[in-house]
mmCIF file of all heavy atoms in Angstrom:
data_model
loop_
_atom_site.group_PDB
_atom_site.id
_atom_site.type_symbol
_atom_site.label_atom_id
_atom_site.label_comp_id
_atom_site.label_asym_id
_atom_site.label_seq_id
_atom_site.Cartn_x
_atom_site.Cartn_y
_atom_site.Cartn_z
ATOM 1 N N VAL W 137 -16.538 -4.768 -5.233
ATOM 2 C CA VAL W 137 -16.770 -4.570 -3.778
ATOM 3 C C VAL W 137 -16.173 -5.773 -3.014
ATOM 4 O O VAL W 137 -16.494 -6.917 -3.400
ATOM 5 C CB VAL W 137 -18.277 -4.461 -3.432
ATOM 6 C CG1 VAL W 137 -18.484 -4.361 -1.930
ATOM 7 C CG2 VAL W 137 -18.897 -3.271 -4.147
ATOM 8 N N ILE W 138 -15.337 -5.486 -2.037
ATOM 9 C CA ILE W 138 -14.868 -6.563 -1.157
ATOM 10 C C ILE W 138 -14.955 -6.085 0.281
ATOM 11 O O ILE W 138 -15.035 -4.884 0.540
ATOM 12 C CB ILE W 138 -13.382 -7.013 -1.447
ATOM 13 C CG1 ILE W 138 -12.414 -5.881 -1.213
ATOM 14 C CG2 ILE W 138 -13.262 -7.521 -2.878
ATOM 15 C CD1 ILE W 138 -10.946 -6.352 -1.204
ATOM 16 N N VAL W 139 -15.007 -7.063 1.132
ATOM 17 C CA VAL W 139 -15.002 -6.791 2.608
ATOM 18 C C VAL W 139 -13.674 -7.321 3.145
ATOM 19 O O VAL W 139 -13.262 -8.442 2.839
ATOM 20 C CB VAL W 139 -16.196 -7.485 3.276
ATOM 21 C CG1 VAL W 139 -16.119 -7.403 4.777
ATOM 22 C CG2 VAL W 139 -17.508 -6.891 2.803
ATOM 23 N N VAL W 140 -13.031 -6.506 3.976
ATOM 24 C CA VAL W 140 -11.817 -6.949 4.701
ATOM 25 C C VAL W 140 -12.237 -7.123 6.125
ATOM 26 O O VAL W 140 -12.790 -6.249 6.786
ATOM 27 C CB VAL W 140 -10.683 -5.895 4.538
ATOM 28 C CG1 VAL W 140 -9.506 -6.318 5.426
ATOM 29 C CG2 VAL W 140 -10.279 -5.767 3.103
ATOM 30 N N SER W 141 -11.977 -8.357 6.656
ATOM 31 C CA SER W 141 -12.404 -8.679 7.993
ATOM 32 C C SER W 141 -11.368 -9.517 8.718
ATOM 33 O O SER W 141 -10.270 -9.687 8.237
ATOM 34 C CB SER W 141 -13.764 -9.362 7.938
ATOM 35 O OG SER W 141 -14.321 -9.453 9.267
ATOM 36 N N CYS W 142 -11.781 -10.118 9.848
ATOM 37 C CA CYS W 142 -10.857 -10.910 10.654
ATOM 38 C C CYS W 142 -11.710 -11.864 11.468
ATOM 39 O O CYS W 142 -12.955 -11.771 11.527
ATOM 40 C CB CYS W 142 -9.995 -10.042 11.514
ATOM 41 S SG CYS W 142 -10.904 -9.042 12.678
ATOM 42 N N ALA W 143 -11.034 -12.815 12.127
ATOM 43 C CA ALA W 143 -11.747 -13.848 12.936
ATOM 44 C C ALA W 143 -12.641 -13.198 13.995
ATOM 45 O O ALA W 143 -13.755 -13.724 14.251
ATOM 46 C CB ALA W 143 -10.752 -14.765 13.554
ATOM 47 N N ALA W 144 -12.211 -12.142 14.604
ATOM 48 C CA ALA W 144 -12.982 -11.511 15.674
ATOM 49 C C ALA W 144 -14.302 -10.943 15.185
ATOM 50 O O ALA W 144 -15.248 -10.782 15.956
ATOM 51 C CB ALA W 144 -12.158 -10.388 16.339
ATOM 52 N N ASP W 145 -14.392 -10.681 13.872
ATOM 53 C CA ASP W 145 -15.619 -10.101 13.309
ATOM 54 C C ASP W 145 -16.397 -11.112 12.476
ATOM 55 O O ASP W 145 -17.274 -10.727 11.685
ATOM 56 C CB ASP W 145 -15.249 -8.891 12.452
ATOM 57 C CG ASP W 145 -14.730 -7.729 13.255
ATOM 58 O OD1 ASP W 145 -14.972 -7.627 14.456
ATOM 59 O OD2 ASP W 145 -14.027 -6.865 12.643
ATOM 60 N N ARG W 146 -16.187 -12.395 12.672
ATOM 61 C CA ARG W 146 -16.804 -13.429 11.854
ATOM 62 C C ARG W 146 -18.342 -13.329 11.859
ATOM 63 O O ARG W 146 -19.006 -13.431 10.804
ATOM 64 C CB ARG W 146 -16.387 -14.800 12.266
ATOM 65 C CG ARG W 146 -16.953 -15.888 11.353
ATOM 66 C CD ARG W 146 -16.399 -17.284 11.610
ATOM 67 N NE ARG W 146 -15.034 -17.499 11.198
ATOM 68 C CZ ARG W 146 -14.647 -17.593 9.896
ATOM 69 N NH1 ARG W 146 -15.509 -17.455 8.956
ATOM 70 N NH2 ARG W 146 -13.406 -17.818 9.637
ATOM 71 N N LEU W 147 -18.917 -13.099 12.995
ATOM 72 C CA LEU W 147 -20.412 -13.009 13.088
ATOM 73 C C LEU W 147 -20.935 -11.804 12.268
ATOM 74 O O LEU W 147 -21.985 -11.902 11.652
ATOM 75 C CB LEU W 147 -20.856 -12.882 14.515
ATOM 76 C CG LEU W 147 -20.806 -14.162 15.342
ATOM 77 C CD1 LEU W 147 -21.232 -13.898 16.803
ATOM 78 C CD2 LEU W 147 -21.678 -15.279 14.734
ATOM 79 N N GLN W 148 -20.189 -10.752 12.241
ATOM 80 C CA GLN W 148 -20.558 -9.536 11.480
ATOM 81 C C GLN W 148 -20.534 -9.842 9.972
ATOM 82 O O GLN W 148 -21.160 -9.138 9.192
ATOM 83 C CB GLN W 148 -19.553 -8.452 11.846
ATOM 84 C CG GLN W 148 -19.905 -7.084 11.310
ATOM 85 C CD GLN W 148 -18.828 -6.048 11.716
ATOM 86 O OE1 GLN W 148 -17.922 -6.297 12.460
ATOM 87 N NE2 GLN W 148 -18.970 -4.862 11.166
ATOM 88 N N CYS W 149 -19.816 -10.893 9.577
ATOM 89 C CA CYS W 149 -19.665 -11.194 8.126
ATOM 90 C C CYS W 149 -20.797 -12.029 7.541
ATOM 91 O O CYS W 149 -20.909 -12.149 6.324
ATOM 92 C CB CYS W 149 -18.327 -11.876 7.883
ATOM 93 S SG CYS W 149 -16.953 -10.816 8.200
ATOM 94 N N ARG W 150 -21.628 -12.603 8.416
ATOM 95 C CA ARG W 150 -22.682 -13.492 7.915
ATOM 96 C C ARG W 150 -23.511 -12.853 6.786
ATOM 97 O O ARG W 150 -23.759 -13.487 5.756
ATOM 98 C CB ARG W 150 -23.578 -13.940 9.037
ATOM 99 C CG ARG W 150 -24.709 -14.893 8.580
ATOM 100 C CD ARG W 150 -25.314 -15.670 9.716
ATOM 101 N NE ARG W 150 -24.283 -16.608 10.216
ATOM 102 C CZ ARG W 150 -24.130 -16.997 11.415
ATOM 103 N NH1 ARG W 150 -24.989 -16.559 12.369
ATOM 104 N NH2 ARG W 150 -23.203 -17.856 11.800
ATOM 105 N N PRO W 151 -24.011 -11.596 6.952
ATOM 106 C CA PRO W 151 -24.788 -10.995 5.850
ATOM 107 C C PRO W 151 -24.023 -10.879 4.546
ATOM 108 O O PRO W 151 -24.555 -10.977 3.456
ATOM 109 C CB PRO W 151 -25.134 -9.614 6.402
ATOM 110 C CG PRO W 151 -24.959 -9.683 7.890
ATOM 111 C CD PRO W 151 -23.937 -10.727 8.110
ATOM 112 N N PHE W 152 -22.724 -10.686 4.627
ATOM 113 C CA PHE W 152 -21.865 -10.580 3.425
ATOM 114 C C PHE W 152 -21.847 -11.896 2.735
ATOM 115 O O PHE W 152 -21.992 -11.967 1.476
ATOM 116 C CB PHE W 152 -20.491 -10.081 3.757
ATOM 117 C CG PHE W 152 -20.424 -8.804 4.527
ATOM 118 C CD1 PHE W 152 -19.643 -8.684 5.662
ATOM 119 C CD2 PHE W 152 -21.191 -7.694 4.148
ATOM 120 C CE1 PHE W 152 -19.594 -7.507 6.387
ATOM 121 C CE2 PHE W 152 -21.149 -6.524 4.850
ATOM 122 C CZ PHE W 152 -20.360 -6.412 5.984
ATOM 123 N N PHE W 153 -21.620 -12.989 3.508
ATOM 124 C CA PHE W 153 -21.556 -14.325 2.877
ATOM 125 C C PHE W 153 -22.906 -14.633 2.236
ATOM 126 O O PHE W 153 -22.910 -15.128 1.114
ATOM 127 C CB PHE W 153 -21.268 -15.390 3.950
ATOM 128 C CG PHE W 153 -19.897 -15.263 4.552
ATOM 129 C CD1 PHE W 153 -19.729 -15.312 5.941
ATOM 130 C CD2 PHE W 153 -18.777 -15.156 3.774
ATOM 131 C CE1 PHE W 153 -18.460 -15.246 6.500
ATOM 132 C CE2 PHE W 153 -17.504 -15.045 4.300
ATOM 133 C CZ PHE W 153 -17.340 -15.095 5.697
ATOM 134 N N GLU W 154 -24.018 -14.322 2.902
ATOM 135 C CA GLU W 154 -25.331 -14.605 2.339
ATOM 136 C C GLU W 154 -25.618 -13.792 1.066
ATOM 137 O O GLU W 154 -26.355 -14.255 0.209
ATOM 138 C CB GLU W 154 -26.415 -14.318 3.405
ATOM 139 C CG GLU W 154 -26.353 -15.317 4.546
ATOM 140 C CD GLU W 154 -27.245 -14.907 5.704
ATOM 141 O OE1 GLU W 154 -27.876 -13.805 5.708
ATOM 142 O OE2 GLU W 154 -27.286 -15.702 6.705
ATOM 143 N N ALA W 155 -25.035 -12.578 0.956
ATOM 144 C CA ALA W 155 -25.231 -11.746 -0.223
ATOM 145 C C ALA W 155 -24.229 -12.074 -1.361
ATOM 146 O O ALA W 155 -24.241 -11.447 -2.414
ATOM 147 C CB ALA W 155 -25.109 -10.303 0.151
ATOM 148 N N GLY W 156 -23.345 -13.029 -1.085
ATOM 149 C CA GLY W 156 -22.346 -13.418 -2.124
ATOM 150 C C GLY W 156 -21.193 -12.427 -2.213
ATOM 151 O O GLY W 156 -20.491 -12.354 -3.215
ATOM 152 N N ILE W 157 -20.984 -11.640 -1.171
ATOM 153 C CA ILE W 157 -19.895 -10.618 -1.185
ATOM 154 C C ILE W 157 -18.641 -11.338 -0.677
ATOM 155 O O ILE W 157 -18.634 -12.008 0.376
ATOM 156 C CB ILE W 157 -20.256 -9.436 -0.269
ATOM 157 C CG1 ILE W 157 -21.499 -8.745 -0.812
ATOM 158 C CG2 ILE W 157 -19.068 -8.492 -0.198
ATOM 159 C CD1 ILE W 157 -22.087 -7.703 0.148
ATOM 160 N N ASP W 158 -17.576 -11.134 -1.382
ATOM 161 C CA ASP W 158 -16.304 -11.732 -1.026
ATOM 162 C C ASP W 158 -15.715 -11.087 0.255
ATOM 163 O O ASP W 158 -15.704 -9.838 0.373
ATOM 164 C CB ASP W 158 -15.288 -11.609 -2.147
ATOM 165 C CG ASP W 158 -15.727 -12.368 -3.391
ATOM 166 O OD1 ASP W 158 -16.245 -13.473 -3.240
ATOM 167 O OD2 ASP W 158 -15.549 -11.845 -4.485
ATOM 168 N N VAL W 159 -15.269 -11.926 1.197
ATOM 169 C CA VAL W 159 -14.674 -11.471 2.437
ATOM 170 C C VAL W 159 -13.250 -11.964 2.519
ATOM 171 O O VAL W 159 -12.988 -13.165 2.283
ATOM 172 C CB VAL W 159 -15.503 -11.965 3.680
ATOM 173 C CG1 VAL W 159 -14.873 -11.476 4.980
ATOM 174 C CG2 VAL W 159 -16.951 -11.522 3.569
ATOM 175 N N TYR W 160 -12.359 -11.075 2.854
ATOM 176 C CA TYR W 160 -10.896 -11.416 2.877
ATOM 177 C C TYR W 160 -10.242 -10.923 4.139
ATOM 178 O O TYR W 160 -10.742 -10.024 4.778
ATOM 179 C CB TYR W 160 -10.178 -10.723 1.668
ATOM 180 C CG TYR W 160 -10.726 -11.124 0.348
ATOM 181 C CD1 TYR W 160 -11.716 -10.400 -0.286
ATOM 182 C CD2 TYR W 160 -10.220 -12.288 -0.283
ATOM 183 C CE1 TYR W 160 -12.244 -10.823 -1.483
ATOM 184 C CE2 TYR W 160 -10.695 -12.674 -1.506
ATOM 185 C CZ TYR W 160 -11.746 -11.926 -2.139
ATOM 186 O OH TYR W 160 -12.203 -12.360 -3.343
ATOM 187 N N GLY W 161 -9.131 -11.542 4.469
ATOM 188 C CA GLY W 161 -8.281 -11.038 5.558
ATOM 189 C C GLY W 161 -7.549 -9.813 5.115
ATOM 190 O O GLY W 161 -7.401 -9.560 3.900
ATOM 191 N N ALA W 162 -6.989 -9.075 6.032
ATOM 192 C CA ALA W 162 -6.278 -7.818 5.761
ATOM 193 C C ALA W 162 -5.112 -8.048 4.813
ATOM 194 O O ALA W 162 -4.719 -7.146 4.091
ATOM 195 C CB ALA W 162 -5.808 -7.164 7.046
#
Side-chain angles (χ1 to χ4, degrees):
V137 175
I138 65 169
V139 172
V140 174
S141 192
C142 60
D145 292 338
R146 184 171 288 288
L147 286 177
Q148 188 181 354
C149 293
R150 181 163 291 147
F152 306 132
F153 294 132
E154 291 170 357
I157 299 169
D158 297 319
V159 180
Y160 300 93

